[in-house]
Amino acid sequence: VTPLSVAQKVRTKNIAYLNDVDHESNSLVILDVLSELVRVDKEYKLYVVGDFATTSLRVHFEHMIAAMQLSENIEFHQRPDNLAIWLKDKSYILSTAIAAGNEAEIALAMTLGVQPVVINHFGAESLTDSAELVNCVSGCVNKLLQEPGDPSQLRQKALETSNVDMYRGQFEEVLNGADFAYEPKVSILLPTYNRAEMLKRALARLAQQTYSN
């Protein structure tokens, strides 16, 4: 895979969590991280893609979210059809697992310029280099409060530290340098009154625009 440059990302305070909510994923830690984070900055938001392992775990999670007053700062999503598009407005990806399991998602996120924040565990060096690992909740919070790394450098790290050939079938387009630069949607309003000819001209100009979103 050729390490191509990726589009510069606009930093957001959106955090991706791509893992099932279970004990092996150490998922309850994400609530501790989020709680500490929003004490500093309430604009941070966590987006979780994953299934609950048990109903009791779901009930406990929902109870703790309410008790910790985090309802405005966390959302649960079904796995999207296109994970790369879903990641476009995320600046960080958080992994709290105590064992490997979501290497493919972290590799994909890094190739798109998303900063990994990974709690240290046996084998974590396969996800990112050791300098990027954190050992505790406060380490996660500090990392999330920092500016994310340069997108091109994050991509290069993913190519160097991850076995991307294993994921080529899932992320072929991304790993071959596809540009997923964020393109905001644009709405155009044309207020007019008794200007039919001018409106025709304005619509004709609008039809000539090349921006597709």
Side-chain angles (χ1 to χ4, degrees):
V1 178
T2 303
L4 303 178
S5 61
V6 292
Q8 292 297 312
K9 288 174 68 74
V10 176
R11 186 202 178 191
T12 69
K13 296 176 182 178
N14 297 335
I15 307 163
Y17 183 82
L18 300 169
N19 222 327
D20 287 338
V21 179
D22 55 30
H23 295 297
E24 190 167 271
S25 299
N26 205 19
S27 301
L28 289 171
V29 171
I30 67 175
L31 298 184
D32 293 329
V33 171
L34 188 59
S35 179
E36 293 299 318
L37 197 56
V38 298
R39 287 184 186 180
V40 179
D41 189 334
K42 294 185 182 298
E43 293 184 7
Y44 278 88
K45 194 158 187 174
L46 184 67
Y47 296 83
V48 178
V49 170
D51 296 322
F52 284 88
T54 64
T55 301
S56 59
L57 190 55
R58 177 192 290 275
V59 170
H60 179 64
F61 225 79
E62 292 172 349
H63 170 76
M64 292 308 300
I65 288 171
M68 299 167 82
Q69 299 182 342
L70 296 174
S71 300
E72 298 298 316
N73 301 94
I74 188 167
E75 287 185 11
F76 293 88
H77 291 227
Q78 295 295 318
R79 189 174 183 87
D81 293 334
N82 190 319
L83 198 53
I85 299 298
W86 184 83
L87 282 165
K88 284 200 301 186
D89 67 342
K90 314 298 186 297
S91 287
Y92 308 90
I93 180 168
L94 176 62
S95 175
T96 58
I98 60 174
N102 61 339
E103 299 95 331
E105 288 81 2
I106 292 176
L108 169 63
M110 290 177 69
T111 61
L112 293 168
V114 179
Q115 173 69 53
V117 179
V118 179
I119 288 186
N120 200 0
H121 64 266
F122 180 76
E125 292 83 0
S126 67
L127 303 178
T128 184
D129 61 62
S130 57
E132 298 289 342
L133 302 177
V134 297
N135 294 316
C136 57
V137 168
S138 60
C140 280
V141 173
N142 290 337
K143 195 76 174 174
L144 290 164
L145 289 171
Q146 295 173 15
E147 289 286 330
D150 176 81
S152 294
Q153 293 180 10
L154 288 170
R155 178 183 174 86
Q156 184 62 30
K157 283 183 182 179
L159 299 177
E160 290 172 352
T161 60
S162 303
N163 187 1
V164 294
D165 286 334
M166 290 175 59
Y167 319 133
R168 185 180 301 279
Q170 301 174 60
F171 308 134
E172 184 75 36
E173 191 175 18
V174 177
L175 294 176
N176 282 318
D179 182 3
F180 284 93
Y182 177 60
E183 294 185 350
K185 291 185 177 180
V186 174
S187 299
I188 298 175
L189 304 179
L190 297 174
T192 186
Y193 180 73
N194 285 340
R195 303 286 295 274
E197 290 305 314
M198 294 296 290
L199 181 58
K200 287 181 184 178
R201 214 150 98 199
L203 290 172
R205 293 279 179 86
L206 175 58
Q208 295 171 6
Q209 300 302 308
T210 59
Y211 188 76
S212 60
N213 208 23

